[in-house]
Amino acid sequence: VKVRIHSVGKYIPEKILTNDDLTEWLDTSDEWITSRTGIKQRHISTTENTSDLCTEAALKALGKVKVKAEEIGLLIVATMSPDAHSPSVACTVQSNIHAKNAMAFDINAACSGFVYACSVAEKMLSVSPYQYALVIGGEVMSKVVDWKDRSTAVLFGDGAGCVLLEKNENTHSFIGENLHADGSRGSSLTSGEVAVNNLLTSGNKANPHLQMNGRDIFDFVIRSVPKSIIEVVEANQLQLEEIDYFLLHQANARLIKAVSKKLKQPIEKFPQNIDQYGNTSAASIPILLDELIEHGDIQLNSNQTIVLTGFGGGLTWGSLLIKL
Ligand SMILES: O=C(O)C1CCN(c2ccc(-c3cc(CO)ccc3Cl)cn2)CC1
């Protein structure tokens, strides 16, 4: 049985905060942010929570093809900024779009969440009686960042991206994958800690906000991401030159440049939109994919070969090799 990408959608909240807007609140500058991250602006939700962004992205993807919500058997949301622990964002989205036959759950693999979720969905769909699965990466990072911490608050943005996967006999999108974690370095990027305070204990501290050791993460990514990409390409008897696009998690422009150099592949193969959206964690790859399809750089059913690579909190990282 084969699984392919049938359609893609995204939804970004309307409100834009530019780097200059941030200088009114934080001791930072457009020059610093732009030169160190590549980010020029980010979208910040004011009323919509993660499930609202994911719902709109799902409706966009469904709207582009004639697939009815009841044909969906599986709905996975990758997020590290859920509305709540329960109900899952996926269940709220399932209700909103009336996908009454879909099982629904969230996964948290931070900025690797979307590639992890696609991997899980592909396996589950291939043994499911249903034809379609929705995989959504959605974040309202603006509610988890510490707006007093200029080293992280300027990096993140809100948004959601969605792919509709279809089970069919002939074309096969998912050629290969490698997914990794290293929990021993989990403390390099934490968010939403919940302390053990109960009837018997109290006073245990927990930081609800995102905290990041940028240097540690940078070093981890530079070492692990090129390896993951080479691994997934060569394990499937391909060469890097045969990959049309490398869609990397949009975490930092300098980092993307560094990975392209390590892989000796032209920067044109590493599309970027971090300037517009900031780091939208699990949403960054599906948002980028949707934009590339909108601009015509990537077409579904084109036989183009792409690699999706996520990396971040956990620590987690991983790549998917996809033939469109
Ligand atoms: O001083 C500088 O240049 C700073 C140095 C630190 N920077 C960082 C560091 C790490 C990340 C990052 C975050 C995630 C979480 O999604 C995943 C992957 C990465 Cl690589 C983004 N920016 C910004 C510029």
Side-chain angles (χ1 to χ4, degrees):
V1 177
K2 306 194 183 289
V3 172
R4 57 181 286 282
I5 297 176
H6 192 50
S7 82
V8 184
K10 73 170 181 288
Y11 178 78
I12 316 291
E14 188 200 342
K15 177 70 183 164
I16 288 177
L17 278 181
T18 65
N19 292 345
D20 286 333
D21 291 332
L22 292 183
T23 56
E24 287 163 40
W25 305 85
L26 287 162
D27 176 17
T28 186
S29 72
D30 175 38
E31 196 282 327
W32 188 92
I33 299 169
T34 305
S35 64
R36 306 301 295 234
T37 71
I39 300 165
K40 296 297 288 173
Q41 65 175 48
R42 72 285 295 146
H43 291 247
I44 301 294
S45 179
T46 52
T47 57
E48 295 158 306
N49 212 329
T50 307
S51 61
D52 301 303
L53 309 187
C54 292
T55 298
E56 291 309 315
L59 290 173
K60 282 273 185 63
L62 288 169
K64 291 179 185 173
V65 288
K66 286 171 288 309
V67 172
K68 292 190 291 301
E70 48 268 18
E71 296 178 77
I72 300 164
L74 167 63
L75 197 163
I76 303 180
V77 171
T79 187
M80 66 182 282
S81 57
D83 302 29
H85 292 299
S86 201
S88 65
V89 175
C91 284
T92 302
V93 175
Q94 190 250 21
S95 163
N96 293 344
I97 68 170
H98 311 295
K100 63 182 181 11
N101 295 315
M103 62 168 293
F105 60 101
D106 291 356
I107 74 149
N108 176 358
C111 315
S112 311
F114 182 73
V115 294
Y116 267 55
C118 283
S119 170
V120 169
E122 186 225 352
K123 313 299 182 297
M124 293 183 77
L125 184 59
S126 63
V127 297
S128 150
Y130 289 93
Q131 207 65 10
Y132 295 98
L134 273 175
V135 182
I136 311 170
E139 306 282 10
V140 177
M141 294 303 286
S142 60
K143 67 183 184 180
V144 302
V145 299
D146 177 352
W147 285 102
K148 290 182 181 50
D149 174 8
R150 67 182 181 173
S151 73
T152 52
V154 303
L155 304 180
F156 294 94
D158 303 342
C162 173
V163 292
L164 177 66
L165 301 184
E166 179 195 52
K167 185 168 65 176
N168 73 0
E169 289 324 305
N170 37 36
T171 51
H172 188 292
S173 262
F174 293 79
I175 314 282
E177 67 183 30
N178 66 69
L179 301 171
H180 304 281
D182 176 0
S184 72
R185 290 185 284 172
S187 58
S188 299
L189 200 159
T190 60
S191 174
E193 292 175 344
V194 182
V196 178
N197 289 317
N198 53 34
L199 184 68
L200 304 177
T201 76
S202 66
N204 293 316
K205 292 266 171 293
N207 185 336
H209 294 304
L210 184 141
Q211 292 183 287
M212 180 176 77
N213 181 322
R215 178 46 49 208
D216 284 357
I217 302 283
F218 244 61
D219 295 345
F220 137 69
V221 172
I222 286 288
R223 228 192 348 273
S224 310
V225 163
K227 236 172 86 206
S228 163
I229 292 170
I230 291 167
E231 196 180 308
V232 79
V233 169
E234 294 189 348
N236 292 282
Q237 289 75 43
L238 289 175
Q239 312 277 324
L240 290 172
E241 289 66 26
E242 296 174 87
I243 307 302
D244 295 297
Y245 287 104
F246 298 92
L247 275 63
L248 300 193
H249 164 47
Q250 298 292 293
N252 183 283
R254 288 188 301 127
L255 189 81
I256 293 171
K257 204 180 173 79
V259 171
S260 75
K261 273 205 174 56
K262 270 202 119 176
L263 293 175
K264 297 187 178 57
Q265 293 298 305
I267 191 71
E268 291 74 26
K269 287 191 174 185
F270 297 79
Q272 299 182 44
N273 60 11
I274 190 169
D275 55 321
Q276 256 199 67
Y277 299 115
N279 178 340
T280 56
S281 188
S284 79
I285 290 175
I287 288 171
L288 184 63
L289 180 60
D290 180 71
E291 290 203 336
L292 289 166
I293 290 171
E294 238 169 49
H295 300 158
D297 302 288
I298 286 184
Q299 286 108 31
L300 298 176
N301 308 319
S302 62
N303 244 1
Q304 286 168 300
T305 309
I306 62 174
V307 172
L308 312 185
T309 305
F311 42 88
L315 299 178
T316 56
W317 67 104
S319 295
L320 302 179
L321 177 63
I322 299 179
K323 192 171 265 311
L324 292 171

